[in-house]
Amino acid sequence: MKHSNRPAARSGKTRPRQASAAPFDVLVLATMSAGKTSFINALIGQELLHTANEATTACMTRVEHRPGARSFDGTCYSYSDQELARLKDTTAAALRDWNANSDVKRISLKGSFKIVPSPAPGLVLHDTPGPNNSQDRRHAELMLEAVRSISFKALCYVLNASQLGTQDDRVLLEQIRDELAHKPGHPIYFILNKVDLLDPEMGETIESYVGNAYRYLTGIGFEQPIIIPTMANLALYARKALKAQTLTRSQRLRLHQALADLQDTKRSLLHATVVPDTIKKGVFKALNSLERQRQLKAFDEQTREKNDLQQLVAVSGLKTVEALIKHQRQTIKNP
Ligand SMILES: Nc1nc2c(ncn2[C@@H]2O[C@H](COP(=O)(O)OP(=O)(O)O)[C@@H](O)[C@H]2O)c(=O)[nH]1
Ligand SMILES: [Mg+2]
C-alpha cells in the first residue's frame, strides 16, 4: 500500500465542535457500471470516488458530509476491521489505490460536500460494489451485508437507462424486494441514469423510457415506484464547472453538447419524473426562476454560462433526489 499507515498527526489547536446532527444514511445500490459512483460524486460535487467503465468499486465506501471541513478525512479498514491507513486530505488517486487493494473491505470519508445549497450535516452516502461481478463473489456478499447491516433511511437504486432490464438487474431487484419486505417504510428512489444516451429521433424518448422502467419495476413488485430520469455524469461536470474545477477535454465536450441540447430536453426531463407533486413543483419552480433571471437581468456572458449550468443541474435529476432526501429528513424529524 502506497499510503501512510500511521495515524494522522493531531494538531494542538482545539477545533470548533461540529454541530451534531442525526445521521441520515442513504444506501446506493445497482449492478456494475450503472453509475452508482458517478451519482455519488455528483451528490458530493467533486470527482472524489473512482469511476470507470469496468468493475471498479470493490469495497464499501461511506462518505459523510461535514459542512465547513477543508478536506476529506479518509480511513480504510481490512476484513478483520483493522485500520489499514489514514489520510487527512484524501485524493481520488489514494481512493483508487485503496479500492484496488484486495485487503481493503471498507473506506470511511468525512468532508464537506461542494454543492449549493449545502445539505444539512449528518448526510451519509454509501457506495457499494455491483454484486454481479463474476470475477469476485465478495462483491455480492458485501452488497448484501450493506443492505442488512446499515441502518439506512433511504435507498437509491440506480438503473442504467441504456440497458434496462438485464437479467443481473432483475435478480438484484428481486433480492432487494425480498430484503426490504422485513424493513417497511424505507423509501426507494429509482435513479434512471444515463438518460443522456437516449436518442429521441430514434424513438428513444424520456417518456417512453420512464414508462418502460415503471412497468419493469411494478412487474417485479415495487408499487408506485419513484423514478427520476438522471444524468449523473453531466450533473457532476456542471457542478465541477460551477466550482471552477478542471474538466477533462472529453468532459468539456460532453457538457458543451448537453448545454446545446438543454432547451429541447429540460422540460421533458422534469415532466417525465415520477415523484410526489410537491417535489416536482419545487424543481419546476427552481427552473422557472433561473429562466426568469436569465431573461430579466442584463447578464454578461459569464453569468449566462453560470445560469445555463445551474439549469442543467436543476433538470439533471440530482436536484430532485436532493429534494426527496431533504423532504424525508424533515418527515422523520417532524412526523
Ligand atoms: N453517458 C453517461 N455515462 C455515465 C453516466 N453516469 C455514469 N456514466 C459512466 O458509466 C460508467 C460506469 O460508472 P460508475 O459510476 O463507475 O458505475 P458503478 O459501477 O455503478 O459505480 C463510467 O464510464 C461513467 O462515466 C451518465 O449519466 N451518462
Ligand atoms: Mg462504482
Side-chain angles (χ1 to χ4, degrees):
M1 173 159 305
K2 272 187 190 165
H3 303 282
S4 158
N5 281 349
R6 277 177 290 134
R10 290 190 191 285
S11 101
K13 290 182 203 150
T14 38
R15 289 224 213 122
R17 276 176 76 85
Q18 292 278 348
S20 62
F24 186 90
D25 290 79
V26 179
L27 187 59
V28 182
L29 297 177
T31 51
M32 267 160 46
S33 297
K36 290 176 293 295
T37 307
S38 306
F39 172 67
I40 290 182
N41 279 340
L43 287 170
I44 300 173
Q46 160 182 359
E47 224 155 9
L48 183 64
L49 310 186
H50 180 55
T51 63
N53 225 341
E54 59 197 59
T56 43
T57 309
C59 48
M60 294 293 313
T61 304
R62 175 190 190 278
V63 197
E64 181 178 334
H65 175 48
R66 289 273 177 96
R70 288 224 190 100
S71 56
F72 274 89
D73 273 0
T75 316
C76 68
Y77 301 87
S78 70
Y79 277 75
S80 54
D81 227 22
Q82 297 295 310
E83 181 178 312
L84 293 175
R86 183 186 280 212
L87 287 170
K88 268 282 159 217
D89 187 354
T90 318
T91 58
L95 287 174
R96 191 175 49 221
D97 287 352
W98 286 357
N99 206 61
N101 183 328
S102 58
D103 293 337
V104 175
K105 179 185 184 188
R106 63 184 182 91
I107 296 171
S108 171
L109 296 162
K110 289 171 189 164
S112 184
F113 294 7
K114 292 185 175 41
I115 62 167
V116 182
S118 179
L123 180 60
V124 184
L125 308 174
H126 296 268
D127 195 9
T128 54
N132 55 327
N133 182 357
S134 51
Q135 321 265 302
D136 195 341
R137 291 303 310 153
R138 278 196 297 190
H139 289 196
E141 286 159 20
L142 274 180
M143 188 284 303
L144 205 55
E145 188 183 322
V147 176
R148 290 181 179 161
S149 66
I150 295 170
S151 59
F152 59 90
K153 304 285 195 313
L155 196 157
C156 290
Y157 187 93
V158 184
L159 294 158
N160 182 342
S162 67
Q163 277 180 15
L164 195 61
T166 60
Q167 183 58 20
D168 282 346
D169 190 63
R170 183 178 286 273
V171 168
L172 177 56
L173 279 170
E174 286 171 353
Q175 203 176 8
I176 291 168
R177 175 199 63 198
D178 297 344
E179 287 292 328
L180 293 194
H182 318 293
K183 286 186 172 191
H186 289 69
I188 308 184
Y189 310 136
F190 289 99
I191 312 300
L192 186 60
N193 194 34
K194 307 199 188 186
V195 290
D196 55 301
L197 295 180
L198 306 184
D199 187 348
E201 285 167 75
M202 298 293 281
E204 299 173 353
T205 62
I206 303 277
E207 295 78 9
S208 63
Y209 270 68
V210 172
N212 292 344
Y214 195 91
R215 280 185 292 281
Y216 172 60
L217 293 167
T218 47
I220 295 175
F222 294 99
E223 284 169 27
Q224 299 185 325
I226 288 177
I227 305 174
I228 306 119
T230 301
M231 311 184 292
N233 263 0
L234 290 165
L236 172 66
Y237 306 159
R239 283 186 156 164
K240 281 179 68 175
L242 282 165
K243 285 278 171 191
Q245 298 171 34
T246 312
L247 278 80
T248 65
R249 186 180 136 77
S250 150
Q251 292 178 344
R252 276 201 311 276
L253 285 174
R254 284 201 241 168
L255 187 56
H256 187 75
Q257 184 61 51
L259 290 170
D261 294 343
L262 190 60
Q263 286 306 324
D264 298 336
T265 51
K266 60 185 176 185
R267 299 216 157 247
S268 52
L269 275 164
L270 292 192
H271 277 298
T273 304
V274 188
V275 290
D277 267 355
T278 46
I279 301 287
K280 198 157 168 168
K281 277 191 190 139
V283 185
F284 262 117
K285 206 170 142 193
L287 175 65
N288 292 339
S289 153
L290 283 166
E291 287 177 340
R292 266 198 312 277
Q293 282 171 28
R294 200 182 195 285
Q295 280 168 1
L296 289 180
K297 290 193 184 154
F299 269 7
D300 57 37
E301 192 55 34
Q302 214 180 354
T303 322
R304 204 171 291 133
E305 271 171 27
K306 188 175 161 203
N307 183 287
D308 287 342
L309 291 168
Q310 287 168 329
Q311 288 196 31
L312 179 57
V313 176
V315 301
S316 67
L318 267 290
K319 284 281 182 191
T320 307
V321 178
E322 284 156 7
L324 284 163
I325 290 175
K326 189 172 174 193
H327 177 77
Q328 186 62 16
R329 292 182 84 172
Q330 279 161 354
T331 309
I332 289 176
K333 221 161 130 192
N334 314 304

